[in-house]
Amino acid sequence: MIPAMRNAVVITTIHPPGKATLAFGRLPGWRLVVAADRKTPDGWRQAGCRFIAEKDQRALSYGICKQLPWNHYSRKMIGYLVAIETGAHRIADSDDDNIPLENWGFPDFDGSYETTAPDRGFVNVYGLFSQERPSPWPRGFPLNRLLPEPVEVEKTSVKTVQVGVWQGLVKGEADVDAIYRLTVNRPIRFTHRAPIVFDTGTPCPFNSQNTVFRRALFPLLYLPAFVTFRYTDILRSLVAQPVMWASGYRLGFISPTVIQERNPHNLLADFESEIPCYLHPEKVTDAVQAAVRSGVSISENLLAAYEALARKELVRPEEMNLLEAWIGDIHRLGVS
């Protein structure tokens, strides 16, 4: 019998799990789920952690298990399904090189928060948490939108909102793209500030390093598998926001609550993997916003979004088969 979990942190790893994984496994009120890949030591175990080894994944009945590629970040979705099946109401994402700080956690999903104006187009969230000028930018932010500098805080207002996803920023090695690392590469020091919510029509990419989803939006955890490693969570974020807006939810950001001790990276390989991040963000959000509609379920809008992306050849046809398997799995687990 797998113990029930109301709050789950899901990590996937191709490395031997280290102190980041150990730290998330000790968080009170949260259960850690680790989805392995082929390079993960099969016999690894940790008290209080649900570890899904390669052989365990092969035995699961989820439809996505037959279609997910190996050695790809999207295998994290198996961890999401395990968390959903065992009763999770909140699912937090992290990576195996992030360590939670003492202040780790997220605000309430529903409340009154400082909120940007609507319909501003892409806004660089790092500019709102950093005094550096020119501002650093998050991975996946459209390079053609880096100037002018981001919206000033004075132009925001406090609103009562339903937040669907909170993104916590990262101390240490913040999530920037390979262009930033290859050209600027200065440390980013985020200032502490109140949470800020991005209103309808004001998108910003978010990642899967320190992020929490409410149960109503669990379908949007879908990580596309037939795109590059460095694009999968960014594409997820670009699809998610118009779908969220159609159902009355918003995206929120908070000051850093984890520190990243980054695993080794080949920056030129990262650059190659990130090319879709540089070319497609605005195309994706425009296509998805035109495809979604109010009054239908999150899953229906998610499917419509990917159908629109497939027609525009922004995702491969194979993605649709996996997405349909994902939607079938979460429906069987009681999520629509």
Side-chain angles (χ1 to χ4, degrees):
M1 177 72 70
I2 302 171
M5 57 180 92
R6 286 189 64 83
N7 305 307
V9 178
V10 178
I11 293 175
T12 190
T13 180
I14 61 172
H15 304 277
K19 61 182 180 181
T21 312
L22 295 172
F24 274 108
R26 293 193 292 264
L27 289 172
W30 291 78
R31 182 86 190 281
L32 177 65
V33 180
V34 176
D37 215 327
R38 283 180 166 165
K39 296 180 182 178
T40 312
D42 208 40
W44 180 84
R45 293 291 182 273
Q46 175 179 312
C49 170
R50 173 76 162 97
F51 178 63
I52 318 164
E54 176 185 349
K55 61 178 176 20
D56 299 325
Q57 294 177 29
R58 295 185 185 280
L60 293 170
S61 61
Y62 305 140
I64 65 169
C65 292
K66 299 175 182 177
Q67 299 188 42
L68 279 172
W70 288 99
N71 299 323
H72 194 284
Y73 193 77
S74 60
R75 297 202 72 82
K76 199 176 196 179
M77 289 195 290
I78 294 174
Y80 301 150
L81 291 177
V82 168
I84 293 168
E85 187 170 9
T86 49
H89 283 238
R90 292 187 294 171
I91 292 180
D93 261 325
S94 194
D95 284 348
D96 61 357
D97 53 3
N98 287 331
I99 302 170
L101 300 173
E102 289 186 2
N103 66 334
W104 189 86
F106 298 94
D108 292 337
F109 284 116
D110 300 331
S112 295
Y113 299 106
E114 187 179 345
T115 304
T116 69
D119 301 318
R120 291 297 301 264
F122 277 88
V123 167
N124 177 3
V125 68
Y126 284 7
L128 300 177
F129 284 84
S130 170
Q131 300 301 316
E132 297 177 34
R133 295 295 180 267
S135 301
W137 61 91
R139 177 169 53 97
F141 192 83
L143 299 179
N144 60 303
R145 296 297 298 262
L146 288 176
L147 297 174
E149 283 295 304
V151 58
E152 293 84 3
V153 174
E154 300 89 84
K155 294 181 181 177
T156 65
S157 59
V158 175
K159 294 182 181 179
T160 300
V161 291
Q162 287 185 301
V163 175
V165 176
W166 283 110
Q167 165 83 82
L169 301 187
V170 175
K171 189 176 180 180
E173 292 283 355
D175 187 20
V176 293
D177 61 32
I179 290 178
Y180 183 90
R181 294 189 187 280
L182 287 166
T183 58
V184 183
N185 202 32
R186 64 172 180 258
I188 300 171
R189 294 177 177 85
F190 292 121
T191 57
H192 181 80
R193 56 154 296 152
I196 188 162
V197 174
F198 278 36
D199 210 339
T200 302
T202 305
C204 184
F206 63 89
N207 59 45
S208 57
Q209 293 186 6
N210 187 23
T211 313
V212 68
F213 286 70
R214 66 192 295 159
R215 184 176 176 84
L217 298 187
F218 282 176
L220 299 183
L221 286 163
Y222 179 78
L223 283 164
F226 298 95
V227 299
T228 63
F229 184 94
R230 299 281 294 171
Y231 186 42
T232 179
D233 59 337
I234 298 304
L235 178 55
R236 176 177 78 172
S237 78
L238 299 173
V239 170
Q241 289 170 78
V243 177
M244 290 162 58
W245 301 335
S247 292
Y249 296 105
R250 306 290 183 264
L251 167 66
F253 291 89
I254 61 172
S255 297
T257 57
V258 303
I259 185 168
Q260 183 179 98
E261 296 183 358
R262 200 169 193 243
N263 292 322
H265 279 248
N266 179 321
L267 292 180
L268 285 178
D270 283 356
F271 171 81
E272 184 177 17
S273 180
E274 289 170 1
I275 287 175
C277 298
Y278 309 135
L279 298 180
H280 300 322
E282 291 173 303
K283 296 176 185 176
V284 169
T285 53
D286 288 347
V288 174
Q289 197 162 5
V292 301
R293 53 200 175 94
S294 59
V296 303
S297 70
I298 299 292
S299 294
E300 288 175 285
N301 269 336
L302 180 63
L303 183 60
Y306 274 92
E307 288 172 343
L309 296 179
R311 286 193 298 270
K312 292 180 178 293
E313 299 183 343
L314 293 169
V315 296
R316 289 164 50 182
E318 300 96 312
E319 202 69 64
M320 300 309 301
N321 294 330
L322 180 61
L323 175 63
E324 288 171 3
W326 164 259
I327 291 173
D329 286 334
I330 61 172
H331 283 185
R332 283 189 289 275
L333 297 177
V335 176
S336 60

